Amino acid sequence: MTEIYETQPERTDLPLVVMPSVLQSMIEPIKAQFPALRDVARVRMFEEFTSDESVLAERVADADALLVGGYHISDDLLHTLGERSRIKCIVFCGTGVASYINLDLARTLKIRVCNAEHYGDHAVAEHTFALMLELVRRTGQLDADVKAGNWAWAGGDGLQLAGRKLGIIGLGGIGSTVAGIAKAFGMEVSAWNSHVPAEHFARTGAHPVDDLNELIAGSDVVSVHLPLNDATRGIVTAENLEHLRPGTLFINTARSEVIESGALLARLGKGDIPAGLDVFDHEPLAADDPICHVPGVVLTPHVGWRTDGAFKELTRQMIQCLTAYFAGEDYNVVVSERG
């Protein structure tokens, strides 16, 4: 039986916030934030993860606001929420809400959609380097070798990051944090100069490069940190990826959709580009997906953002979105219910 956690259940005079599905690792961090809603709203959280939309719809039937995390809301479910319930505010547990909710439809239905910002800058930046270091030092394979009794010196030769050139595509919060870590490693850092405020370059010390092809061609490591929106969807093209030199490391901890559909798989299929990927066109990734069988590629299941520090900041912002909504104020509003 699913555990249900409720706050102030007797306060039926207060609006109801429902979290119908939750990742196990988020349960305790978000519980710690619920006291901020005392006398503002009551909360009902179902302590299991499900993406079954019939179950989700049933659980939120009497809600005034919805907390969403880890699953997609289809257009059908969004229509149900907008037309058959009292829900006028959806708080998404993350930044890339456009990948999970049809924002144009939410706007039409006059449902406020909020997200969280910069909560995972350090978490994702650190995961970027976890992937990078795995590619250059293969610690996972070496660990397995040693435990199997194989003390193979030849298998331990790696690449050094110090002195290598890192090209960052997307010098926002995460990209800037990556630049800082890269500097500490002794790397030379450049970034694509596309819609990036000058102060980001000044703060990070990254060298601006106007042409994306030039950035890619001149880098030993290319790391993608663009947000996903209408302007960035497919912005990294197959033609851009053709400028990757053999041996260049390619990292994506942003969104797969910022790369032209099919372009990355085609480029990696040549077998000369080591890559570390945390995001994919289809998630969860199936074992028979072609990307799983490309040699020299390290894959992780979209976990770059999942750290204790990120959960703490994420849940704080989620609750602040709700307190602002019920107070008639704006906080991290992506789509306004006011049109």
Side-chain angles (χ1 to χ4, degrees), residues 130 133-135 137-147 298:
L133 289 166
E134 180 61 27
L135 290 174
R137 299 309 299 262
R138 302 186 298 280
T139 53
Q141 183 59 55
L142 293 171
D143 171 71
D145 288 344
V146 170
K147 290 175 179 176
V298 174

Side-chain angles (χ1 to χ4, degrees), residues 213 216 237-245 263 266-267 270:
N213 289 338
I216 292 173
T237 66
E239 194 271 332
N240 295 143
L241 296 180
E242 285 301 315
H243 288 79
L244 288 165
R245 292 179 285 108
R267 183 64 188 86
K270 295 182 179 181

